[in-house]
Amino acid sequence: GHQAIRIPLGHPPVIFGLPGSEHLLKQVLGFLGWRSGESAFHVFDNGEISTKVLQSVTNHDVFVIVLRCDSGFEVNFSLMRLLFLVSAMRGESPHRLTIVMPCLEYARQDRRLVAGEAMPPKLLLRCMKTAGADRFLTVDLHNQAESAFTPPGTSLDE
């Protein structure tokens, strides 16, 4: 059975997908009957990224799907594009902003094996929170302890 997705009354849902997420976005939209959000991305000659939300997300329950697997984009490029999109959306005052990332990038680097190593999943979640995400949804955590990485005041659902 499917668990119901509860959407607060008065906050219509809208789902955005980053480039590379189109197939999953189409399946989710077909299943839920929600509408797709519109955004635009541009890469300048020097490699900088421009991101724009093409519709109002004010007071909406916003979901952003990030699926890198088939995108052909380098992981760090995709993550920067995600951060810029989330930041642009946060500036438009959505009710709630959830990042749907079936595969949490850098999940295998979830612990320090030797002194001086970084813990990228923790930093990545903090960056997404700082950009404006309220919640994170993932399907496959490398280690259940990663749920402890969630910044205060946010939810990490698996």
Side-chain angles (χ1 to χ4, degrees):
H2 295 286
Q3 185 175 357
I5 297 175
R6 191 176 66 78
I7 302 297
L9 292 176
H11 304 287
V14 61
I15 305 177
F16 291 80
L18 259 62
S21 306
E22 294 87 357
H23 180 71
L24 179 58
L25 176 64
K26 185 176 179 180
Q27 288 181 313
V28 169
L29 291 171
F31 181 78
L32 296 174
W34 295 354
R35 64 186 175 95
S36 177
E38 294 185 35
S39 57
F41 302 93
H42 178 74
V43 180
F44 295 100
D45 290 340
N46 66 357
E48 290 183 0
I49 302 165
S50 171
T51 304
K52 185 173 184 179
V53 180
L54 300 177
Q55 69 177 74
S56 173
V57 295
T58 303
N59 211 30
H60 283 68
D61 203 0
V62 177
F63 296 82
V64 180
I65 295 178
V66 185
L67 184 65
R68 180 186 54 88
C69 304
D70 299 324
S71 69
F73 295 109
E74 191 266 336
V75 62
N76 298 312
F77 179 85
S78 296
L79 290 173
M80 288 305 294
R81 190 164 34 195
L82 169 65
L83 292 174
F84 293 164
L85 179 63
V86 169
S87 178
M89 290 175 170
R90 179 50 62 198
E92 298 300 315
S93 303
H95 171 70
R96 182 169 57 188
L97 208 158
T98 302
I99 296 175
V100 180
M101 187 177 271
C103 176
L104 180 63
E105 304 299 350
Y106 291 100
R108 291 188 206 141
Q109 297 183 49
D110 60 345
R111 64 189 91 189
R112 289 188 177 106
L113 300 178
V114 295
E117 285 185 328
M119 293 181 64
K122 187 173 187 174
L123 177 59
L124 180 56
L125 290 170
R126 285 183 180 160
C127 287
M128 290 188 285
K129 173 68 176 171
T130 298
D134 297 303
R135 301 186 307 168
F136 311 95
L137 175 66
T138 188
V139 176
D140 186 23
L141 288 175
H142 182 250
N143 176 353
Q144 286 299 325
E146 287 180 15
S147 60
F149 293 162
T150 306
T154 61
S155 302
L156 176 63
D157 298 320
E158 180 181 30

mmCIF file of all heavy atoms in Angstrom, residues 3 26-28 30 43 65 74 79 106 116 139 147:
data_model
loop_
_atom_site.group_PDB
_atom_site.id
_atom_site.type_symbol
_atom_site.label_atom_id
_atom_site.label_comp_id
_atom_site.label_asym_id
_atom_site.label_seq_id
_atom_site.Cartn_x
_atom_site.Cartn_y
_atom_site.Cartn_z
ATOM 1 N N GLN A 3 1.522 5.086 1.255
ATOM 2 C CA GLN A 3 1.238 5.977 2.363
ATOM 3 C C GLN A 3 0.755 7.306 1.790
ATOM 4 O O GLN A 3 1.292 7.797 0.798
ATOM 5 C CB GLN A 3 2.491 6.201 3.194
ATOM 6 C CG GLN A 3 2.227 7.016 4.438
ATOM 7 C CD GLN A 3 3.478 7.125 5.301
ATOM 8 O OE1 GLN A 3 4.499 6.554 4.991
ATOM 9 N NE2 GLN A 3 3.371 7.872 6.381
ATOM 10 N N LYS A 26 8.029 13.050 -14.440
ATOM 11 C CA LYS A 26 6.838 12.672 -15.206
ATOM 12 C C LYS A 26 6.069 11.549 -14.508
ATOM 13 O O LYS A 26 4.841 11.582 -14.433
ATOM 14 C CB LYS A 26 7.250 12.248 -16.613
ATOM 15 C CG LYS A 26 6.105 11.963 -17.527
ATOM 16 C CD LYS A 26 6.587 11.645 -18.933
ATOM 17 C CE LYS A 26 5.427 11.333 -19.847
ATOM 18 N NZ LYS A 26 5.878 11.022 -21.208
ATOM 19 N N GLN A 27 6.783 10.570 -13.961
ATOM 20 C CA GLN A 27 6.126 9.469 -13.251
ATOM 21 C C GLN A 27 5.422 9.965 -11.988
ATOM 22 O O GLN A 27 4.293 9.575 -11.706
ATOM 23 C CB GLN A 27 7.140 8.390 -12.893
ATOM 24 C CG GLN A 27 7.619 7.589 -14.082
ATOM 25 C CD GLN A 27 8.602 6.515 -13.657
ATOM 26 O OE1 GLN A 27 9.531 6.774 -12.889
ATOM 27 N NE2 GLN A 27 8.397 5.317 -14.159
ATOM 28 N N VAL A 28 6.097 10.819 -11.235
ATOM 29 C CA VAL A 28 5.520 11.341 -9.993
ATOM 30 C C VAL A 28 4.284 12.181 -10.299
ATOM 31 O O VAL A 28 3.241 12.044 -9.643
ATOM 32 C CB VAL A 28 6.566 12.158 -9.202
ATOM 33 C CG1 VAL A 28 5.919 12.917 -8.055
ATOM 34 C CG2 VAL A 28 7.679 11.254 -8.691
ATOM 35 N N GLY A 30 2.332 11.978 -12.891
ATOM 36 C CA GLY A 30 1.266 11.082 -13.343
ATOM 37 C C GLY A 30 0.597 10.364 -12.189
ATOM 38 O O GLY A 30 -0.624 10.185 -12.167
ATOM 39 N N VAL A 43 23.888 28.198 -18.611
ATOM 40 C CA VAL A 43 25.304 28.149 -18.257
ATOM 41 C C VAL A 43 26.030 29.146 -19.149
ATOM 42 O O VAL A 43 25.948 29.070 -20.378
ATOM 43 C CB VAL A 43 25.888 26.728 -18.443
ATOM 44 C CG1 VAL A 43 27.370 26.713 -18.057
ATOM 45 C CG2 VAL A 43 25.109 25.718 -17.619
ATOM 46 N N ILE A 65 12.757 17.720 -7.305
ATOM 47 C CA ILE A 65 13.317 16.386 -7.538
ATOM 48 C C ILE A 65 14.700 16.520 -8.154
ATOM 49 O O ILE A 65 14.885 17.230 -9.141
ATOM 50 C CB ILE A 65 12.403 15.558 -8.460
ATOM 51 C CG1 ILE A 65 11.060 15.295 -7.774
ATOM 52 C CG2 ILE A 65 13.076 14.248 -8.848
ATOM 53 C CD1 ILE A 65 10.070 14.532 -8.632
ATOM 54 N N GLU A 74 27.929 16.444 -14.252
ATOM 55 C CA GLU A 74 28.839 16.173 -13.148
ATOM 56 C C GLU A 74 28.118 16.493 -11.840
ATOM 57 O O GLU A 74 27.356 17.448 -11.762
ATOM 58 C CB GLU A 74 30.087 17.039 -13.367
ATOM 59 C CG GLU A 74 31.251 16.703 -12.484
ATOM 60 C CD GLU A 74 31.286 17.544 -11.225
ATOM 61 O OE1 GLU A 74 30.723 18.647 -11.236
ATOM 62 O OE2 GLU A 74 31.866 17.081 -10.240
ATOM 63 N N LEU A 79 24.665 19.847 -8.052
ATOM 64 C CA LEU A 79 24.406 20.330 -6.697
ATOM 65 C C LEU A 79 24.384 21.851 -6.635
ATOM 66 O O LEU A 79 23.545 22.432 -5.940
ATOM 67 C CB LEU A 79 25.443 19.765 -5.728
ATOM 68 C CG LEU A 79 25.333 18.267 -5.457
ATOM 69 C CD1 LEU A 79 26.512 17.787 -4.627
ATOM 70 C CD2 LEU A 79 24.006 17.915 -4.798
ATOM 71 N N TYR A 106 27.318 11.991 -2.093
ATOM 72 C CA TYR A 106 28.400 11.902 -1.117
ATOM 73 C C TYR A 106 28.051 11.047 0.090
ATOM 74 O O TYR A 106 28.757 11.063 1.104
ATOM 75 C CB TYR A 106 28.844 13.297 -0.647
ATOM 76 C CG TYR A 106 29.532 14.098 -1.706
ATOM 77 C CD1 TYR A 106 28.852 15.080 -2.426
ATOM 78 C CD2 TYR A 106 30.867 13.868 -2.013
ATOM 79 C CE1 TYR A 106 29.490 15.815 -3.409
ATOM 80 C CE2 TYR A 106 31.515 14.596 -2.997
ATOM 81 C CZ TYR A 106 30.822 15.574 -3.689
ATOM 82 O OH TYR A 106 31.443 16.297 -4.657
ATOM 83 N N GLY A 116 41.112 14.501 10.033
ATOM 84 C CA GLY A 116 41.279 15.501 8.982
ATOM 85 C C GLY A 116 40.377 15.321 7.777
ATOM 86 O O GLY A 116 40.368 16.180 6.895
ATOM 87 N N VAL A 139 15.816 8.064 -0.580
ATOM 88 C CA VAL A 139 15.368 6.683 -0.629
ATOM 89 C C VAL A 139 16.406 5.746 -0.028
ATOM 90 O O VAL A 139 16.077 4.778 0.625
ATOM 91 C CB VAL A 139 15.069 6.255 -2.089
ATOM 92 C CG1 VAL A 139 14.699 4.792 -2.161
ATOM 93 C CG2 VAL A 139 13.956 7.123 -2.660
ATOM 94 N N SER A 147 21.050 10.218 9.383
ATOM 95 C CA SER A 147 19.903 11.017 9.809
ATOM 96 C C SER A 147 20.317 12.001 10.904
ATOM 97 O O SER A 147 19.683 13.033 11.083
ATOM 98 C CB SER A 147 18.762 10.120 10.278
ATOM 99 O OG SER A 147 19.185 9.333 11.376
#
